[in-house]
PDB file of all heavy atoms in Angstrom:
ATOM      1  N   ASP A  73      11.015 107.501 141.220  1.00 94.00           N
ATOM      2  CA  ASP A  73      11.623 108.473 140.416  1.00 94.00           C
ATOM      3  C   ASP A  73      12.999 108.764 140.908  1.00 94.00           C
ATOM      4  O   ASP A  73      13.129 109.388 142.014  1.00 94.00           O
ATOM      5  CB  ASP A  73      10.743 109.790 140.559  1.00 94.00           C
ATOM      6  CG  ASP A  73      11.116 111.023 139.584  1.00 94.00           C
ATOM      7  OD1 ASP A  73      12.351 111.085 139.381  1.00 94.00           O
ATOM      8  OD2 ASP A  73      10.254 111.702 139.187  1.00 94.00           O
ATOM      9  N   ASP A  74      14.041 108.468 140.206  1.00 91.00           N
ATOM     10  CA  ASP A  74      15.328 108.645 140.614  1.00 91.00           C
ATOM     11  C   ASP A  74      15.758 110.232 140.755  1.00 91.00           C
ATOM     12  O   ASP A  74      16.494 110.483 141.698  1.00 91.00           O
ATOM     13  CB  ASP A  74      16.331 108.075 139.553  1.00 91.00           C
ATOM     14  CG  ASP A  74      16.378 106.571 139.479  1.00 91.00           C
ATOM     15  OD1 ASP A  74      16.657 105.948 140.527  1.00 91.00           O
ATOM     16  OD2 ASP A  74      16.015 106.010 138.401  1.00 91.00           O
ATOM     17  N   ARG A  75      15.215 110.943 139.985  1.00 91.00           N
ATOM     18  CA  ARG A  75      15.579 112.352 140.067  1.00 91.00           C
ATOM     19  C   ARG A  75      14.955 112.995 141.349  1.00 91.00           C
ATOM     20  O   ARG A  75      15.639 113.854 142.047  1.00 91.00           O
ATOM     21  CB  ARG A  75      14.957 113.118 138.805  1.00 91.00           C
ATOM     22  CG  ARG A  75      15.365 114.647 138.760  1.00 91.00           C
ATOM     23  CD  ARG A  75      14.791 115.251 137.540  1.00 91.00           C
ATOM     24  NE  ARG A  75      13.304 115.238 137.547  1.00 91.00           N
ATOM     25  CZ  ARG A  75      12.557 115.699 136.585  1.00 91.00           C
ATOM     26  NH1 ARG A  75      13.128 116.121 135.429  1.00 91.00           N
ATOM     27  NH2 ARG A  75      11.307 115.562 136.633  1.00 91.00           N
ATOM     28  N   GLU A  76      13.687 112.695 141.655  1.00 93.00           N
ATOM     29  CA  GLU A  76      13.001 113.255 142.841  1.00 93.00           C
ATOM     30  C   GLU A  76      13.130 112.438 144.041  1.00 93.00           C
ATOM     31  O   GLU A  76      12.945 112.867 145.152  1.00 93.00           O
ATOM     32  CB  GLU A  76      11.588 113.382 142.446  1.00 93.00           C
ATOM     33  CG  GLU A  76      11.206 114.290 141.422  1.00 93.00           C
ATOM     34  CD  GLU A  76      11.430 115.776 141.561  1.00 93.00           C
ATOM     35  OE1 GLU A  76      11.582 116.047 142.731  1.00 93.00           O
ATOM     36  OE2 GLU A  76      11.653 116.524 140.726  1.00 93.00           O
ATOM     37  N   ALA A  77      13.711 111.136 143.853  1.00 94.00           N
ATOM     38  CA  ALA A  77      13.831 110.310 144.994  1.00 94.00           C
ATOM     39  C   ALA A  77      12.581 110.020 145.697  1.00 94.00           C
ATOM     40  O   ALA A  77      12.476 109.963 146.876  1.00 94.00           O
ATOM     41  CB  ALA A  77      14.979 110.732 146.005  1.00 94.00           C
ATOM     42  N   LEU A  78      11.541 109.808 144.875  1.00 96.00           N
ATOM     43  CA  LEU A  78      10.221 109.555 145.412  1.00 96.00           C
ATOM     44  C   LEU A  78       9.555 108.373 144.766  1.00 96.00           C
ATOM     45  O   LEU A  78       9.818 108.020 143.608  1.00 96.00           O
ATOM     46  CB  LEU A  78       9.275 110.849 145.134  1.00 96.00           C
ATOM     47  CG  LEU A  78       9.707 112.150 145.891  1.00 96.00           C
ATOM     48  CD1 LEU A  78       8.783 113.328 145.336  1.00 96.00           C
ATOM     49  CD2 LEU A  78       9.456 111.909 147.442  1.00 96.00           C
ATOM     50  N   TYR A  79       8.771 107.731 145.556  1.00 96.00           N
ATOM     51  CA  TYR A  79       8.020 106.583 145.132  1.00 96.00           C
ATOM     52  C   TYR A  79       6.468 107.003 144.799  1.00 96.00           C
ATOM     53  O   TYR A  79       6.020 107.809 145.411  1.00 96.00           O
ATOM     54  CB  TYR A  79       7.947 105.434 146.173  1.00 96.00           C
ATOM     55  CG  TYR A  79       9.194 104.868 146.439  1.00 96.00           C
ATOM     56  CD1 TYR A  79      10.165 105.305 147.383  1.00 96.00           C
ATOM     57  CD2 TYR A  79       9.712 103.614 145.822  1.00 96.00           C
ATOM     58  CE1 TYR A  79      11.421 104.886 147.699  1.00 96.00           C
ATOM     59  CE2 TYR A  79      10.924 103.019 146.037  1.00 96.00           C
ATOM     60  CZ  TYR A  79      11.761 103.673 146.986  1.00 96.00           C
ATOM     61  OH  TYR A  79      13.005 103.036 147.233  1.00 96.00           O
ATOM     62  N   SER A  80       5.908 106.225 143.866  1.00 94.00           N
ATOM     63  CA  SER A  80       4.570 106.260 143.584  1.00 94.00           C
ATOM     64  C   SER A  80       3.939 104.966 143.197  1.00 94.00           C
ATOM     65  O   SER A  80       4.708 104.079 142.860  1.00 94.00           O
ATOM     66  CB  SER A  80       4.279 107.410 142.468  1.00 94.00           C
ATOM     67  OG  SER A  80       4.913 106.935 141.192  1.00 94.00           O
ATOM     68  N   LEU A  81       2.639 104.916 143.156  1.00 91.00           N
ATOM     69  CA  LEU A  81       2.042 103.563 142.716  1.00 91.00           C
ATOM     70  C   LEU A  81       2.332 103.235 141.248  1.00 91.00           C
ATOM     71  O   LEU A  81       2.375 104.226 140.511  1.00 91.00           O
ATOM     72  CB  LEU A  81       0.451 103.672 142.966  1.00 91.00           C
ATOM     73  CG  LEU A  81      -0.011 103.849 144.487  1.00 91.00           C
ATOM     74  CD1 LEU A  81      -1.414 103.911 144.538  1.00 91.00           C
ATOM     75  CD2 LEU A  81       0.500 102.616 145.371  1.00 91.00           C
ATOM     76  N   GLY A  82       2.552 101.961 141.093  1.00 90.00           N
ATOM     77  CA  GLY A  82       2.834 101.480 139.814  1.00 90.00           C
ATOM     78  C   GLY A  82       1.762 101.143 138.975  1.00 90.00           C
ATOM     79  O   GLY A  82       0.555 101.075 139.258  1.00 90.00           O
ATOM     80  N   PRO A  83       1.983 100.775 137.601  1.00 85.00           N
ATOM     81  CA  PRO A  83       0.965 100.532 136.659  1.00 85.00           C
ATOM     82  C   PRO A  83       0.098  99.258 137.053  1.00 85.00           C
ATOM     83  O   PRO A  83      -1.055  99.163 136.558  1.00 85.00           O
ATOM     84  CB  PRO A  83       1.743 100.315 135.339  1.00 85.00           C
ATOM     85  CG  PRO A  83       3.095  99.999 135.706  1.00 85.00           C
ATOM     86  CD  PRO A  83       3.314 100.830 137.009  1.00 85.00           C
ATOM     87  N   GLN A  84       0.607  98.305 137.671  1.00 84.00           N
ATOM     88  CA  GLN A  84      -0.137  97.080 138.049  1.00 84.00           C
ATOM     89  C   GLN A  84      -1.271  97.476 138.991  1.00 84.00           C
ATOM     90  O   GLN A  84      -2.185  96.755 138.946  1.00 84.00           O
ATOM     91  CB  GLN A  84       0.795  96.159 138.741  1.00 84.00           C
ATOM     92  CG  GLN A  84       0.187  94.759 139.058  1.00 84.00           C
ATOM     93  CD  GLN A  84      -0.259  94.049 137.842  1.00 84.00           C
ATOM     94  OE1 GLN A  84       0.186  94.282 136.682  1.00 84.00           O
ATOM     95  NE2 GLN A  84      -1.220  93.105 137.912  1.00 84.00           N
ATOM     96  N   ILE A  85      -1.167  98.614 139.721  1.00 80.00           N
ATOM     97  CA  ILE A  85      -2.275  98.987 140.515  1.00 80.00           C
ATOM     98  C   ILE A  85      -3.517  99.302 139.687  1.00 80.00           C
ATOM     99  O   ILE A  85      -4.651  99.037 140.103  1.00 80.00           O
ATOM    100  CB  ILE A  85      -1.825 100.244 141.379  1.00 80.00           C
ATOM    101  CG1 ILE A  85      -0.881  99.912 142.451  1.00 80.00           C
ATOM    102  CG2 ILE A  85      -3.109 100.827 142.029  1.00 80.00           C
ATOM    103  CD1 ILE A  85      -1.272  99.036 143.525  1.00 80.00           C
ATOM    104  N   LEU A  86      -3.308  99.814 138.574  1.00 71.00           N
ATOM    105  CA  LEU A  86      -4.512 100.139 137.590  1.00 71.00           C
ATOM    106  C   LEU A  86      -5.134  98.896 137.192  1.00 71.00           C
ATOM    107  O   LEU A  86      -6.421  98.814 137.105  1.00 71.00           O
ATOM    108  CB  LEU A  86      -4.030 100.923 136.295  1.00 71.00           C
ATOM    109  CG  LEU A  86      -3.329 102.289 136.711  1.00 71.00           C
ATOM    110  CD1 LEU A  86      -2.828 102.871 135.342  1.00 71.00           C
ATOM    111  CD2 LEU A  86      -4.354 103.215 137.322  1.00 71.00           C
ATOM    112  N   THR A  87      -4.422  97.704 136.866  1.00 71.00           N
ATOM    113  CA  THR A  87      -4.906  96.511 136.478  1.00 71.00           C
ATOM    114  C   THR A  87      -5.734  95.927 137.680  1.00 71.00           C
ATOM    115  O   THR A  87      -6.899  95.501 137.458  1.00 71.00           O
ATOM    116  CB  THR A  87      -3.874  95.537 136.076  1.00 71.00           C
ATOM    117  OG1 THR A  87      -3.023  96.138 134.959  1.00 71.00           O
ATOM    118  CG2 THR A  87      -4.412  94.218 135.652  1.00 71.00           C
ATOM    119  N   LEU A  88      -5.169  96.062 138.894  1.00 74.00           N
ATOM    120  CA  LEU A  88      -5.889  95.518 140.028  1.00 74.00           C
ATOM    121  C   LEU A  88      -7.164  96.236 140.336  1.00 74.00           C
ATOM    122  O   LEU A  88      -8.253  95.772 140.755  1.00 74.00           O
ATOM    123  CB  LEU A  88      -5.006  95.532 141.293  1.00 74.00           C
ATOM    124  CG  LEU A  88      -3.890  94.544 141.209  1.00 74.00           C
ATOM    125  CD1 LEU A  88      -2.861  94.798 142.379  1.00 74.00           C
ATOM    126  CD2 LEU A  88      -4.132  93.187 141.043  1.00 74.00           C
ATOM    127  N   SER A  89      -7.129  97.628 140.200  1.00 70.00           N
ATOM    128  CA  SER A  89      -8.216  98.506 140.363  1.00 70.00           C
ATOM    129  C   SER A  89      -9.359  98.109 139.435  1.00 70.00           C
ATOM    130  O   SER A  89     -10.567  98.036 139.796  1.00 70.00           O
ATOM    131  CB  SER A  89      -7.821  99.985 140.212  1.00 70.00           C
ATOM    132  OG  SER A  89      -8.981 100.848 140.291  1.00 70.00           O
ATOM    133  N   ALA A  90      -8.962  97.912 138.162  1.00 64.00           N
ATOM    134  CA  ALA A  90     -10.090  97.506 137.123  1.00 64.00           C
ATOM    135  C   ALA A  90     -10.704  96.260 137.518  1.00 64.00           C
ATOM    136  O   ALA A  90     -11.855  95.977 137.347  1.00 64.00           O
ATOM    137  CB  ALA A  90      -9.361  97.500 135.682  1.00 64.00           C
ATOM    138  N   ALA A  91      -9.868  95.320 137.884  1.00 64.00           N
ATOM    139  CA  ALA A  91     -10.420  93.965 138.251  1.00 64.00           C
ATOM    140  C   ALA A  91     -11.315  94.058 139.495  1.00 64.00           C
ATOM    141  O   ALA A  91     -12.333  93.334 139.581  1.00 64.00           O
ATOM    142  CB  ALA A  91      -9.233  92.965 138.645  1.00 64.00           C
ATOM    143  N   ALA A  92     -10.894  94.908 140.418  1.00 66.00           N
ATOM    144  CA  ALA A  92     -11.751  95.125 141.636  1.00 66.00           C
ATOM    145  C   ALA A  92     -13.081  95.732 141.195  1.00 66.00           C
ATOM    146  O   ALA A  92     -14.289  95.270 141.692  1.00 66.00           O
ATOM    147  CB  ALA A  92     -11.106  95.994 142.698  1.00 66.00           C
ATOM    148  N   ARG A  93     -13.183  96.741 140.282  1.00 62.00           N
ATOM    149  CA  ARG A  93     -14.330  97.284 139.910  1.00 62.00           C
ATOM    150  C   ARG A  93     -15.237  96.259 139.202  1.00 62.00           C
ATOM    151  O   ARG A  93     -16.441  96.249 139.301  1.00 62.00           O
ATOM    152  CB  ARG A  93     -14.071  98.519 139.078  1.00 62.00           C
ATOM    153  CG  ARG A  93     -13.440  99.712 139.745  1.00 62.00           C
ATOM    154  CD  ARG A  93     -13.590 100.990 138.939  1.00 62.00           C
ATOM    155  NE  ARG A  93     -12.735 100.846 137.689  1.00 62.00           N
ATOM    156  CZ  ARG A  93     -11.502 101.154 137.623  1.00 62.00           C
ATOM    157  NH1 ARG A  93     -10.837 101.601 138.647  1.00 62.00           N
ATOM    158  NH2 ARG A  93     -10.797 101.065 136.480  1.00 62.00           N
ATOM    159  N   ALA A  94     -14.578  95.479 138.427  1.00 58.00           N
ATOM    160  CA  ALA A  94     -15.324  94.485 137.681  1.00 58.00           C
ATOM    161  C   ALA A  94     -16.005  93.556 138.497  1.00 58.00           C
ATOM    162  O   ALA A  94     -16.969  92.847 138.166  1.00 58.00           O
ATOM    163  CB  ALA A  94     -14.405  93.710 136.548  1.00 58.00           C
ATOM    164  N   GLY A  95     -15.406  93.229 139.751  1.00 61.00           N
ATOM    165  CA  GLY A  95     -16.001  92.224 140.615  1.00 61.00           C
ATOM    166  C   GLY A  95     -17.150  92.868 141.393  1.00 61.00           C
ATOM    167  O   GLY A  95     -17.694  92.012 142.294  1.00 61.00           O
ATOM    168  N   MET A  96     -17.513  94.080 141.196  1.00 74.00           N
ATOM    169  CA  MET A  96     -18.557  94.616 142.140  1.00 74.00           C
ATOM    170  C   MET A  96     -19.945  94.500 141.266  1.00 74.00           C
ATOM    171  O   MET A  96     -20.116  95.138 140.246  1.00 74.00           O
ATOM    172  CB  MET A  96     -18.362  96.168 142.303  1.00 74.00           C
ATOM    173  CG  MET A  96     -17.157  96.481 143.175  1.00 74.00           C
ATOM    174  SD  MET A  96     -16.963  98.283 143.400  1.00 74.00           S
ATOM    175  CE  MET A  96     -15.447  98.310 144.268  1.00 74.00           C
ATOM    176  N   PRO A  97     -20.861  93.719 141.829  1.00 85.00           N
ATOM    177  CA  PRO A  97     -22.048  93.347 140.995  1.00 85.00           C
ATOM    178  C   PRO A  97     -22.818  94.726 140.730  1.00 85.00           C
ATOM    179  O   PRO A  97     -23.501  94.835 139.686  1.00 85.00           O
ATOM    180  CB  PRO A  97     -22.904  92.533 142.029  1.00 85.00           C
ATOM    181  CG  PRO A  97     -21.828  91.806 142.825  1.00 85.00           C
ATOM    182  CD  PRO A  97     -20.703  92.792 143.003  1.00 85.00           C
ATOM    183  N   VAL A  98     -22.787  95.697 141.633  1.00 90.00           N
ATOM    184  CA  VAL A  98     -23.567  96.903 141.465  1.00 90.00           C
ATOM    185  C   VAL A  98     -23.205  97.622 140.158  1.00 90.00           C
ATOM    186  O   VAL A  98     -24.046  98.251 139.558  1.00 90.00           O
ATOM    187  CB  VAL A  98     -23.402  97.804 142.752  1.00 90.00           C
ATOM    188  CG1 VAL A  98     -22.080  98.291 142.785  1.00 90.00           C
ATOM    189  CG2 VAL A  98     -24.421  99.061 142.590  1.00 90.00           C
ATOM    190  N   ILE A  99     -22.027  97.468 139.750  1.00 89.00           N
ATOM    191  CA  ILE A  99     -21.552  98.255 138.595  1.00 89.00           C
ATOM    192  C   ILE A  99     -22.232  97.639 137.298  1.00 89.00           C
ATOM    193  O   ILE A  99     -22.728  98.364 136.466  1.00 89.00           O
ATOM    194  CB  ILE A  99     -19.945  98.052 138.318  1.00 89.00           C
ATOM    195  CG1 ILE A  99     -19.243  98.802 139.537  1.00 89.00           C
ATOM    196  CG2 ILE A  99     -19.536  98.800 137.024  1.00 89.00           C
ATOM    197  CD1 ILE A  99     -17.725  98.717 139.506  1.00 89.00           C
ATOM    198  N   GLY A 100     -22.182  96.333 137.203  1.00 88.00           N
ATOM    199  CA  GLY A 100     -22.838  95.633 136.085  1.00 88.00           C
ATOM    200  C   GLY A 100     -24.489  95.840 136.093  1.00 88.00           C
ATOM    201  O   GLY A 100     -25.011  96.032 135.020  1.00 88.00           O
ATOM    202  N   ILE A 101     -25.051  95.862 137.319  1.00 92.00           N
ATOM    203  CA  ILE A 101     -26.384  96.023 137.372  1.00 92.00           C
ATOM    204  C   ILE A 101     -26.892  97.513 137.149  1.00 92.00           C
ATOM    205  O   ILE A 101     -27.828  97.654 136.408  1.00 92.00           O
ATOM    206  CB  ILE A 101     -26.920  95.579 138.814  1.00 92.00           C
ATOM    207  CG1 ILE A 101     -26.884  93.973 138.906  1.00 92.00           C
ATOM    208  CG2 ILE A 101     -28.376  96.006 139.099  1.00 92.00           C
ATOM    209  CD1 ILE A 101     -27.136  93.472 140.341  1.00 92.00           C
ATOM    210  N   ALA A 102     -26.042  98.412 137.684  1.00 94.00           N
ATOM    211  CA  ALA A 102     -26.471  99.854 137.439  1.00 94.00           C
ATOM    212  C   ALA A 102     -26.161 100.351 136.074  1.00 94.00           C
ATOM    213  O   ALA A 102     -26.786 101.256 135.598  1.00 94.00           O
ATOM    214  CB  ALA A 102     -25.608 100.667 138.475  1.00 94.00           C
ATOM    215  N   GLY A 103     -25.192  99.680 135.353  1.00 93.00           N
ATOM    216  CA  GLY A 103     -24.778 100.201 134.020  1.00 93.00           C
ATOM    217  C   GLY A 103     -26.015 100.545 133.044  1.00 93.00           C
ATOM    218  O   GLY A 103     -26.086 101.608 132.615  1.00 93.00           O
ATOM    219  N   PRO A 104     -26.851  99.483 132.783  1.00 95.00           N
ATOM    220  CA  PRO A 104     -27.851  99.751 131.812  1.00 95.00           C
ATOM    221  C   PRO A 104     -28.897 100.992 132.199  1.00 95.00           C
ATOM    222  O   PRO A 104     -29.359 101.725 131.498  1.00 95.00           O
ATOM    223  CB  PRO A 104     -28.612  98.448 131.658  1.00 95.00           C
ATOM    224  CG  PRO A 104     -27.614  97.469 131.998  1.00 95.00           C
ATOM    225  CD  PRO A 104     -26.712  98.122 133.105  1.00 95.00           C
ATOM    226  N   TYR A 105     -29.139 100.928 133.550  1.00 96.00           N
ATOM    227  CA  TYR A 105     -29.935 102.067 134.133  1.00 96.00           C
ATOM    228  C   TYR A 105     -29.271 103.380 134.022  1.00 96.00           C
ATOM    229  O   TYR A 105     -29.877 104.509 133.639  1.00 96.00           O
ATOM    230  CB  TYR A 105     -30.260 101.879 135.608  1.00 96.00           C
ATOM    231  CG  TYR A 105     -31.040 100.614 135.791  1.00 96.00           C
ATOM    232  CD1 TYR A 105     -30.582  99.380 136.182  1.00 96.00           C
ATOM    233  CD2 TYR A 105     -32.489 100.731 135.754  1.00 96.00           C
ATOM    234  CE1 TYR A 105     -31.273  98.265 136.296  1.00 96.00           C
ATOM    235  CE2 TYR A 105     -33.219  99.604 136.031  1.00 96.00           C
ATOM    236  CZ  TYR A 105     -32.687  98.377 136.310  1.00 96.00           C
ATOM    237  OH  TYR A 105     -33.620  97.307 136.457  1.00 96.00           O
TER     238      TYR A 105
END
Side-chain angles (χ1 to χ4, degrees):
D73 186 327
D74 290 297
R75 186 180 60 183
E76 300 289 338
L78 293 173
Y79 293 88
S80 60
L81 294 177
Q84 185 62 21
I85 292 293
L86 298 176
T87 302
L88 295 174
S89 176
R93 290 195 297 271
M96 295 179 183
V98 66
I99 297 177
I101 292 173
Y105 292 94

